[in-house]
């Protein structure tokens, strides 16, 4: 099954049961990604623009995990890897997981911290 483009499949995962599970997992991941984006409402955007302010979403899936969109994207990638378990798919899964970690640590967390620092410094400078 995973003999896509002449790539050798990882033998232990190259079974119908894993391929079927992969389809179910991938569909669940895509569905969850779309639902999480929908749940964000007006706060949904790509990237973090300097000075942009959106409401923090804390309801629905956001009560369970801080970033359900990234979580669902990871689940989708696991499903796709099970569907086509070759070196490219496994490398892609690893690359996605690393990229999501970097996105959160390098872009989103510093942006959130910067907003908190500005708020604190503004409060500390305001008269009694």
């Amino acid at each position: 099954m995973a003999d896509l483009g002449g790539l050798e499949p990882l033998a232990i995962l190259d079974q119908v049961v894993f391929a079927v599970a992969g389809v179910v997992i991938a569909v669940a991941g895509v569905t969850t990604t779309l639902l999480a984006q929908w749940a964000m409402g007006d706060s949904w955007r790509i990237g973090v623009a300097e000075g942009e302010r959106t409401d923090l979403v804390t309801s629905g899936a956001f009560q369970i995990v801080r970033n359900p969109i990234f979580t669902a994207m990871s689940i989708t990638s696991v499903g796709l890897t099970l569907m086509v378990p070759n070196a490219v798919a496994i490398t892609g899964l690893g690359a996605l997981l690393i990229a999501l970690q970097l996105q959160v640590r390098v872009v989103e967390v510093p942006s959130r911290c910067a907003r908190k620092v500005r708020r604190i410094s503004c409060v500390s400078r305001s008269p009694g």
Side-chain angles (χ1 to χ4, degrees):
M1 281 184 208
D3 193 17
L4 184 66
L7 296 174
E8 279 296 313
L10 184 60
I12 195 166
L13 295 176
D14 192 27
Q15 301 175 35
V16 173
V17 67
F18 289 117
V20 171
V23 170
V24 171
I25 292 168
V27 168
V30 169
T31 302
T32 305
T33 301
L34 294 173
L35 290 173
Q37 290 173 348
W38 176 76
M40 286 190 74
D42 291 338
S43 293
W44 168 244
R45 79 258 189 259
I46 296 175
V48 181
E50 183 64 33
E52 181 181 22
R53 301 291 178 260
T54 59
D55 293 331
L56 180 65
V57 179
T58 58
S59 60
F62 292 87
Q63 291 176 323
I64 301 166
V65 294
R66 182 62 250 145
N67 202 322
I69 294 170
F70 286 175
T71 302
M73 288 171 58
S74 300
I75 291 168
T76 301
S77 188
V78 167
L80 295 172
T81 301
L82 288 173
M83 291 166 56
V84 185
N86 60 36
V88 172
I90 293 167
T91 302
L93 172 60
L96 173 69
L97 296 176
I98 290 168
L100 293 177
Q101 290 298 316
L102 290 172
Q103 172 72 18
V104 169
R105 285 169 172 66
V106 174
V107 176
E108 294 185 6
V109 171
S111 175
R112 208 174 14 224
C113 291
R115 286 193 297 254
K116 288 180 182 177
V117 168
R118 281 194 296 267
R119 219 176 302 136
I120 290 168
S121 65
C122 289
V123 170
S124 65
R125 281 190 252 145
S126 61

